[in-house]
Amino acid sequence: MPKACSAINCPNRDTRENRARGLSFHSFPKAHELRKRWMLAVKRIEPGSRKLWIPGAGACLCSQHFTQDEFELYGGQKRLKAGVIPSVFSFKKSPRGQRPPRSLKALGANIPSVGASETISPADVSPAQSKVVELIHAEHQYSLMEGRTKSPLPPSPVLGSERAQDAAQRRLTYYRLELRSVLEGLREQHLLPEDKEHMLRAQFTADLQLDLRYEGTQRGSYPATMRNFAVSLHLFSPKAYECVARTFQLPEPTTLHVWLSNPDYRPGFSQQVFSVLAERSQAGDRDFQSCSLLIGAMSLERRIQYDQHTNSMQGLVDFGAGNYDADEVPAAGEALMLVAVGFQGHWIAPLGYFLLATLTGDVQSQLLRHCILKLYSIGLQVVSVTSDATAPNVDTARRLGVLVDGVSVKSTFFHPANPALEVAYFFDPCHLLTLVHNTLQAYVSLQVCSKAICWDYILRLGVLQEKEVLQAAHKFSGVSISGQRVWGNGAAQLFSESTAQALHFAASLGLSQFLGHETTSHFITLLSAVFDVCSSRSVHSKGPKAPLSLASYDSLNNLCNEYENLLRKLHDGTGELLGLSRHRWGFLGFLVNLRSLQWMAKTYLEAEDRTVPYLLTGWWSLDPLEWCWGAIRQGCEERGATTAQAFQSAYRHVLCKGLAALGCNTPNLLDVSLSRRASLQLQASWPLGKGQVWLDHWCPGSRQDTSAIDLSPSLLSQLEEDTTTYVSRFVVRKLLPVLTCAECRAALMSSSGVEPAGSALMCVKNRGRQWLPAESVRRVIRRAEKIFGLSTWFFRDSRQHRSWGLVLELAILADVSEEPGLFPSLHDHLFESNMLVSNHYVTILQGLVRIFLELHSGQLWAAQGPELGQSTWVSRSKEANSEQSQGSANSQQRNWPCQTPGLKQWFHAP
């Protein structure tokens, strides 16, 4: 059978007559890219599937579809030049009543004339003509236009089946070659990394069908494989996605966030959360009109498991649009989580998570853009984005539009949905402090205008001996050595006002190793002020920790200018400007935060239609995200491993709890922040040795067991005259290891007045070489003894009741709360937390009362054998603090019978 031209409306066939007329026929090129360009030029589709026609091995085009200058003579024969593309076509429909092509009449059959809208009936043709009609429908489907009615004559079952199988195989081969060519082209153009190209090829080569763009076709829906490929390609490289979309049918990038959502708890955006937020926003709730976005990652154990419930492999990369299941795809090693926080911290909502092989800035920036678009579509405007300052997150900030060139900073980027809006970018202050701490340790000293910021001053502070300090104090101040002891508050933060006070105090005593500390102390004080400005949590805070308002805007500008001037003069040990060095991001990150705070103040405090009188900057840190991480870690520990499957189960629990208490249950950010900065405490900055003032029996890490102190009734006769002071000292000794707040720890000690309370280094009063607790502690214990004595006398028959311990605790707390002037040194600190009820003032009172009751309950039961003084409240409080820092919602609930062994045995005694 002679070959026919594959062009639409072209009747030419490869016959002797046509060859004599000068026609030549040219097969489709074998080179994939040139072959694809020929296919697009022909514009032929398959009427059944409405997809682009894939030429077979015998497909060809006649010479009428090329211009004369596209030919050349070679050996006396006419052939096409290299790289020529056909351009001469006629895509108009045949006019009504046109006669069939002559080449069909050469088959020996008289075909009746039909119009464009007419069909051929089997009764109108002879058996010989019927064969010709079958050939027309089998060989010339390209001539059917989109609006033409299909012929009721079905093709031969055998012939149709063979042709369908051949077309399917041809199409599959073409798709594989096309995908490989596309990915290789992207890699050669440096639009797609090699590892990403390998991952996409391994996952999608077998079943992905890329449809070329051609006129007159529109894609209504996309299969699951196509959705997964489109989402993955856009996350890996938006430029590569744009390049592929010029040739193939891909959806608009702004609609991809719909495919990143899942109605259940699988990876992707959690649709349940967005539905709840949409309801609150559309209902007019002003707390749900704007929010901040937090992003962070948690390392996972790389383990691939088969889930029988979902009949799929778990532990592979998953963006929410579909799971990767190819063997060449690496296992997920990171869980990237997004959390939305109310603009003023009224609510916290986990938005979803994504399983990634590694953290990269391109993927994270695209996920943030999709999340911002999705929140904008439901009426929530994202005003800020916060991350830590690791390398992937710094790259993420750059890709979003944050510019940092030395000390020149642009800390905002344009909103992806509305270019008229901007979004501020913040780096987590706790992580920035860690980077500064590491940089200072690495360089040992930094230079500022020929003056040094020395890490050695901190080390010298750690090796101080009590005898050395007391002798210096007696020599220069005339202080009596016998009436004082030196106490090092190891829980004080390294970069805090307490450390600066400790350096000043040591230098004021005349200790030669602290001479010239002024530059170091000024740097610590300035960095502490910058951190406090970025971490305000309560409207009642004072000083740098106060909320950002119009009244404090000038102070913010002055602080920003002072910090920027410091960075312009700060050099490392080699003389290089620190803003351009390898370890610059701990310092530059705070400058980015200060610039973002200035922009937020101008936008939301100085606006004509401003609706907020102040801004709480602590909600723009990663503390709320760490609160969620803590709950997820606890859930993974219960399952015994931090795998992707365990993470999904823990996330489901956290999401359910979060939606049930949305806007009602917020964490104590102060305690979360303190737990995150445990590695920046003074006692963690140096190894402790014998004789140092920072090592004592109440300090964490001490080898002495504070729970082994015997307080049996036989010892009561040996107590000092002031029993209240002795009991207070025991209670404080038990409470100090539990408290992680340096200000609260210092408030429990009785300062000698040489150094103000709250400093990291203090001289405290003592009696017989035993330090004395603060007067406020003794007042609390004195009140507790009165209430306890009355309760044991009047309610001796009610002590068997299970709730007697809780009732007694509440009675003591109610009486103590009426005591005026308790802990005056904590007047400002007690209101730094965002919790109005469960703040540090309540924590101190509860700790003192509970340990006091535990002591007396243990004494009452000494005769029946329990070990007296065995304090489980300390261990329980440590667990409670750990759970609170990890986000446990139940960490603040009272469980008195379980926390006190004496009362527990009392209640369960027969």
Side-chain angles (χ1 to χ4, degrees), residues 350-391:
L351 300 179
Y353 69 97
F354 303 86
L355 300 180
L356 309 178
T358 56
L359 299 177
T360 56
D362 49 2
V363 174
Q364 291 185 182
S365 60
Q366 291 306 311
L367 288 176
L368 282 173
R369 287 192 179 96
H370 287 304
C371 187
I372 295 174
L373 289 172
K374 192 171 182 64
L375 289 172
Y376 190 79
S377 65
I378 63 175
L380 265 171
Q381 179 185 344
V382 176
V383 298
S384 68
V385 174
T386 305
S387 69
D388 55 22
T390 57

Side-chain angles (χ1 to χ4, degrees), residues 222 231 241 250-260 370 373:
Y222 295 85
V231 168
Y241 188 90
L250 293 177
E252 291 295 328
T254 55
T255 63
L256 293 179
H257 64 80
V258 178
W259 294 345
L260 289 169
H370 287 304
L373 289 172

Side-chain angles (χ1 to χ4, degrees), residues 466-543:
E466 181 181 22
K467 183 179 179 180
E468 179 185 12
V469 176
L470 289 178
Q471 289 179 351
H474 176 70
K475 180 178 180 181
F476 287 89
S477 304
V479 178
S480 174
I481 299 178
S482 60
Q484 293 191 26
R485 289 194 63 185
V486 180
W487 179 57
N489 191 357
Q493 290 293 313
L494 175 63
F495 301 104
S496 65
E497 187 68 26
S498 298
T499 303
Q501 289 182 5
L503 292 176
H504 285 301
F505 177 53
S508 65
L509 297 180
L511 297 176
S512 59
Q513 61 268 36
F514 293 98
L515 297 179
H517 74 286
E518 290 79 10
T519 305
T520 304
S521 299
H522 176 72
F523 171 75
I524 292 176
T525 303
L526 178 60
L527 198 62
S528 174
V530 173
F531 176 83
D532 291 339
V533 166
C534 299
S535 305
S536 62
R537 306 173 186 88
S538 174
V539 65
H540 304 289
S541 298
K542 306 295 183 181

Side-chain angles (χ1 to χ4, degrees), residues 668 671 830-831 833 835-844:
N668 190 335
D671 290 335
L830 296 180
F831 300 99
S833 172
M835 305 294 291
L836 298 179
V837 178
S838 181
N839 53 26
H840 282 193
Y841 181 77
V842 177
T843 301
I844 292 177

Side-chain angles (χ1 to χ4, degrees), residues 199-200 203-204 228 232 236 316-317 319 322-326 329:
M199 185 186 306
L200 293 176
Q203 178 66 28
F204 300 107
N228 195 7
S232 302
F236 291 156
L316 294 168
V317 174
F319 300 117
N323 190 17
Y324 284 80
D325 55 3
V329 175

Side-chain angles (χ1 to χ4, degrees), residues 533 543 548-562:
V533 166
L548 183 59
S549 61
L550 288 177
S552 61
Y553 183 63
D554 292 337
S555 300
L556 173 64
N557 291 334
N558 295 334
L559 181 63
C560 184
N561 294 333
E562 182 180 2

Side-chain angles (χ1 to χ4, degrees), residues 386-506:
T386 305
S387 69
D388 55 22
T390 57
N393 291 325
V394 171
D395 187 29
T396 299
R398 289 197 187 101
R399 292 175 181 271
L400 289 175
V402 176
L403 301 178
V404 178
D405 183 13
V407 293
S408 300
V409 171
K410 178 182 178 298
S411 61
T412 60
F413 61 93
F414 293 110
H415 197 287
N418 188 356
L421 302 175
E422 290 186 85
V423 181
Y425 201 97
F426 290 93
F427 291 105
D428 179 54
C430 291
H431 187 252
L432 294 178
L433 280 184
T434 303
L435 294 180
V436 173
H437 175 254
N438 296 340
T439 302
L440 195 56
Q441 281 186 310
Y443 287 125
V444 181
S445 67
L446 302 175
Q447 301 296 323
V448 182
C449 297
S450 70
K451 297 181 180 180
I453 300 174
C454 294
W455 173 252
D456 289 342
Y457 288 117
I458 306 298
L459 298 180
R460 295 167 189 169
L461 197 64
V463 298
L464 279 177
Q465 304 287 328
E466 181 181 22
K467 183 179 179 180
E468 179 185 12
V469 176
L470 289 178
Q471 289 179 351
H474 176 70
K475 180 178 180 181
F476 287 89
S477 304
V479 178
S480 174
I481 299 178
S482 60
Q484 293 191 26
R485 289 194 63 185
V486 180
W487 179 57
N489 191 357
Q493 290 293 313
L494 175 63
F495 301 104
S496 65
E497 187 68 26
S498 298
T499 303
Q501 289 182 5
L503 292 176
H504 285 301
F505 177 53

